[in-house]
Amino acid sequence: MPNPTNTETDSVFNIHTHVFTKDHVPKYLAKKFIVWPFYMVLGIDFVIQIISWFRRKRKFTYTARNKRWTLYQLRMFFVRNPLFNFFYTLFKWATSFIFAYYFLIWIRPLLDTTTLGRWIYPLMDTYLDFMPLVEPGWNQFLLLLLLAILFGHLRNSVTKLAKGRLKRLVGKQRLELLLRYLKIIDFSKNGKMGYIYKNLKQQYPPGSKFVVLPMDMEFMAAGQVAEPYLVQMDELMKLKSNNKESLHPFVFVDPRRIETQDPNTPFFDYDGSNPEKIELNPCKLKEYLEGGACGIKIYPALGYYPFDKNLLSLWLFCAQNDIPITTHCSVGPIFYRGKKKKAWDRHPVFEEVISGSLDKGTAVLERLRLIQVHNKDFQANFTHPLNYCCLLMPHFLKQLLDDYADERLNKLFGYANGSLERNLKTLKINLAHYGGAEHWDTFLERERYHTTNEVVFGPAVALNLQNELKQPGNFYQHWHYSDWFSLISSMLIEFDNVYSDISYTSHDNQYLNLLSEIMNHRKINERVLFGTDFYVVSNHKTEKAFWIDMRNQLAPEKWQKLAQENPNRFVGAS
């Protein structure tokens, strides 16, 4: 364990944590997970009541403790009685036999014509004809259900089989999203942000620091939140004032909040009279930054692209003032729940070849077609790492400005006649989650897919995206088939101010070898950040288990880069 006296060396800087509560989560978060009207019944408050009932604290009362002791003594009386144990073992065998018999009878229509059925059912008819008959169908099912409910050894076996079947039926990724959804509800039910932050902080060595990322879910079309986002931010800033050294809050920005803001009390407003040095006018964002907030958080999966028109002026302000931005860059349980807009059928910027040949000059180009039907799948288009090339590469920034045709933006960027005086190449961005575990798996599993090997065999330029993406024919391949691990690794190498945290993704120790390997690259070693995604990751492991596992499996110099030097450089903290 860390030496408690050496706080400077042992301290950790966690770049990705949350402390929002149930009051900040929309009522119908189950929408798109559960069909209408059931998601309305299973509102956030109802689910929390169910979870609280299962985890009720009555077990800590004296009455409950005494009751458990009495039950223990009674149980041990039987456990220590050899005669009882003998008959109990016979009883378990008998009930298991009865359950197996009626289960085979229940599924007889499925097995009767199979080799197994032709062998086993004649034997049962001959030697077990003394067993009572039960009407087929629901009666047999209800009998099996009653046996499983009454007898624990049967219940445990059935539960284990059901879990395995559920994982195969639902799918690993969908089940993972469901568990993360339940964890968000479970942990966020704790009433106060201060309580959640204390739970986080106490699991780390003294002197540790934390970036706390709020969430603005008012525009995700999942119902109202109990406490508005601006109230959440006010509470977070109060929490900052009580934890000045350890807590580093970011400000969540949603472009729709800017678009619909009250001009008398704006969320974001600026003075662009001197485009070389944008100044903030009185607004909520200015209030937060001057009060100790040190960065911006966005979550494009909620229904927008990171290059939204309402964000471009903010990004220029951030680039000029070295303000870091953390953006969600994986798929997860928090995504836009409303109806898909027709405009989303195609990417706003990137193009693909739909016929003809680029080499022969006959290629027909159209905006990239996005064919995911369901919101949970379509969110990947909003969070795709290549979207940030539209900000970082002047080539695409010019295209955006052409499409938006906004005089104020053009003046801000000094854009006229195809010439761009100011760009966003220095924008400091953290692509959170490093793409997600499923893309780390894809990178490791693909053997002959050449793009997944470029990071290994061409580490100087990796995928060479700054040149590759200027050729329209390459978009389709990279967008749909290049794994995000390779794309993000390449962006860390190619762009000077792009970072990526390994929050949530690296909860499984199987990924630590790959993390250690990529940190051998000189540039990636300077850009990868420690983060956990507390408290969402708690369904896999505790905070202390997360950092202790990682610290003791990485080389000391890599851990120091990951958990101290790089986060401090990203945030701009000493």
Side-chain angles (χ1 to χ4, degrees):
M1 291 297 290
N3 180 355
T5 62
N6 193 3
T7 59
E8 185 174 340
T9 302
D10 294 332
S11 64
V12 178
F13 198 158
N14 187 336
I15 212 75
H16 196 128
T17 69
H18 302 285
V19 298
F20 60 87
T21 74
K22 67 178 181 64
D23 291 333
H24 310 133
V25 178
K27 185 175 183 179
Y28 302 124
L29 195 61
K31 189 177 179 181
K32 300 297 183 182
F33 275 111
I34 301 173
V35 297
W36 181 89
F38 299 106
Y39 73 78
M40 300 186 73
V41 177
L42 295 174
I44 192 83
D45 292 329
F46 179 74
V47 175
I48 287 174
Q49 287 177 7
I50 294 175
I51 294 173
S52 299
W53 184 83
F54 276 105
R55 297 186 177 179
R56 56 196 182 278
K57 295 183 178 180
R58 291 198 297 270
K59 64 182 180 180
F60 297 113
T61 64
Y62 291 126
T63 302
R65 288 156 60 181
N66 294 333
K67 182 179 178 181
R68 286 200 304 273
W69 173 248
T70 302
L71 290 173
Y72 166 78
Q73 289 178 308
L74 180 64
R75 185 175 182 182
M76 292 308 298
F77 170 79
F78 290 112
V79 167
R80 291 165 179 156
N81 188 316
L83 185 63
F84 174 83
N85 278 323
F86 173 75
F87 284 108
Y88 182 62
T89 301
L90 288 180
F91 173 77
K92 287 203 297 185
W93 277 104
T95 50
S96 297
F97 169 79
I98 293 170
F99 186 89
Y101 173 82
Y102 285 110
F103 179 75
L104 288 171
I105 293 297
W106 184 49
I107 62 172
R108 185 167 188 164
L110 299 176
L111 296 182
D112 230 352
T113 58
T114 66
T115 302
L116 177 64
R118 285 193 295 267
W119 173 75
I120 197 170
Y121 287 113
L123 290 175
M124 292 174 62
D125 294 339
T126 302
Y127 297 104
L128 299 176
D129 59 342
F130 59 86
M131 295 292 289
L133 292 176
V134 177
E135 290 294 324
W138 278 105
N139 290 328
Q140 293 172 349
F141 172 77
L142 290 173
L143 174 64
L144 292 170
L145 182 62
L146 181 63
L147 289 171
I149 291 173
L150 290 176
F151 304 116
H153 62 286
L154 296 176
R155 185 168 59 251
N156 293 337
S157 299
V158 171
T159 301
K160 188 178 294 185
L161 289 171
K163 283 182 178 178
R165 181 60 183 165
L166 179 65
K167 183 178 261 188
R168 290 192 295 271
L169 183 66
V170 175
K172 180 181 177 182
Q173 184 177 354
R174 191 177 182 87
L175 187 61
E176 173 72 11
L177 292 181
L178 181 61
L179 291 174
R180 287 165 70 179
Y181 160 72
L182 291 175
K183 176 53 63 176
I184 289 171
I185 294 177
D186 182 23
F187 217 104
S188 68
K189 74 180 188 296
N190 298 299
K192 297 296 182 181
M193 298 168 70
Y195 171 84
I196 300 175
Y197 182 70
K198 181 180 178 181
N199 186 291
L200 165 68
K201 188 177 179 181
Q202 68 184 3
Q203 298 187 63
Y204 283 84
S208 293
K209 297 183 288 188
F210 310 90
V211 167
V212 174
L213 304 169
M215 288 292 292
D216 181 358
M217 301 189 227
E218 294 181 34
F219 298 92
M220 67 180 291
Q224 293 183 334
V225 297
E227 191 170 84
Y229 167 65
L230 297 182
V231 176
Q232 179 192 164
M233 275 305 305
D234 290 341
E235 292 181 3
L236 181 57
M237 297 311 296
K238 289 178 183 177
L239 192 61
K240 162 66 177 176
S241 66
N242 296 325
N243 298 272
K244 292 182 179 179
E245 299 300 323
S246 63
L247 196 157
H248 298 264
F250 276 30
V251 182
F252 194 106
V253 177
D254 189 306
R256 293 160 295 191
R257 183 169 293 282
I258 298 174
E259 185 177 12
T260 59
Q261 66 187 1
D262 184 344
N264 296 317
T265 56
F267 180 80
F268 168 61
D269 192 23
Y270 64 92
D271 178 3
S273 56
N274 178 12
E276 294 290 346
K277 186 62 177 177
I278 299 173
E279 299 286 346
L280 290 181
N281 290 327
C283 61
K284 297 301 292 184
L285 180 59
K286 182 178 183 180
E287 176 186 325
Y288 299 142
L289 292 175
E290 291 179 349
C294 56
I296 304 295
K297 169 67 187 294
I298 60 170
Y299 205 102
L302 294 178
Y304 57 89
Y305 287 98
F307 46 78
D308 187 280
K309 177 181 176 180
N310 292 295
L311 293 175
L312 288 186
S313 54
L314 174 60
W315 296 156
L316 186 56
F317 170 77
C318 289
Q320 292 176 353
N321 291 276
D322 199 33
I323 295 175
I325 302 155
T326 287
T327 177
H328 181 77
C329 196
S330 70
V331 296
I334 305 297
F335 54 85
Y336 183 71
R337 299 300 206 265
K339 292 183 179 180
K340 279 183 58 185
K341 301 175 182 178
K342 184 172 179 58
W344 293 354
D345 290 346
R346 295 177 182 270
H347 193 274
V349 179
F350 298 145
E351 296 179 321
E352 64 173 304
V353 178
I354 64 166
S355 64
S357 168
L358 284 170
D359 295 334
K360 296 179 180 179
T362 59
V364 177
L365 299 175
E366 288 186 2
R367 293 290 167 91
L368 193 65
R369 295 171 287 190
L370 309 175
I371 61 174
Q372 294 93 331
V373 174
H374 302 293
N375 293 36
K376 69 178 179 61
D377 303 315
F378 189 86
Q379 64 170 308
N381 296 304
F382 290 131
T383 61
H384 202 293
L386 289 183
N387 283 322
Y388 299 91
C389 292
C390 294
L391 301 173
L392 297 166
M393 295 175 61
H395 174 81
F396 295 115
L397 181 57
K398 291 178 182 179
Q399 187 174 332
L400 279 174
L401 293 172
D402 282 334
D403 290 344
Y404 291 147
D406 185 284
E407 184 177 346
R408 193 180 185 195
L409 281 177
N410 289 341
K411 182 178 179 182
L412 210 59
F413 284 92
Y415 181 58
N417 302 319
S419 176
L420 195 65
E421 295 180 13
R422 287 167 290 279
N423 58 51
L424 300 173
K425 291 169 66 175
T426 60
L427 199 61
K428 190 190 289 185
I429 303 177
N430 166 28
L431 303 178
H433 312 299
Y434 216 121
E438 62 273 20
H439 286 279
W440 288 47
D441 289 336
T442 301
F443 172 81
L444 291 170
E445 292 166 1
R446 286 178 174 173
E447 295 180 295
R448 293 173 291 179
Y449 203 74
H450 74 277
T451 58
T452 61
N453 296 321
E454 291 297 326
V455 177
V456 178
F457 295 114
V461 293
L463 299 181
N464 196 18
L465 294 174
Q466 296 200 62
N467 289 323
E468 279 273 308
L469 297 183
K470 291 178 182 178
Q471 305 299 319
N474 297 328
F475 276 115
Y476 186 87
Q477 180 78 9
H478 283 305
W479 188 269
H480 291 291
Y481 297 110
S482 292
D483 66 274
W484 291 13
F485 175 87
S486 297
L487 291 173
I488 292 174
S489 296
S490 187
M491 292 175 72
L492 299 186
I493 293 169
E494 294 188 59
F495 299 102
D496 292 337
N497 282 318
V498 174
Y499 293 74
S500 188
D501 72 47
I502 41 82
S503 61
Y504 197 93
T505 298
S506 58
H507 66 78
D508 194 324
N509 290 347
Q510 67 172 322
Y511 300 119
L512 296 186
N513 287 332
L514 179 54
L515 175 62
S516 179
E517 183 64 29
I518 60 171
M519 288 187 71
N520 288 329
H521 192 288
R522 178 179 58 84
K523 288 189 175 181
I524 293 179
N525 188 52
E526 298 285 334
R527 308 282 174 70
V528 66
L529 306 167
F530 175 77
T532 59
D533 205 10
F534 175 86
Y535 45 81
V536 181
V537 76
S538 301
N539 62 308
H540 292 288
K541 59 169 56 173
T542 63
E543 285 294 294
K544 55 179 176 280
F546 201 120
W547 70 262
I548 289 173
D549 283 348
M550 194 170 295
R551 172 177 173 158
N552 287 280
Q553 292 190 51
L554 291 178
E557 61 275 10
K558 290 179 180 178
W559 171 251
Q560 186 175 358
K561 282 283 187 184
L562 181 76
Q564 293 180 346
E565 294 180 18
N566 295 350
N568 276 302
R569 187 186 325 107
F570 174 71
V571 173
S574 58

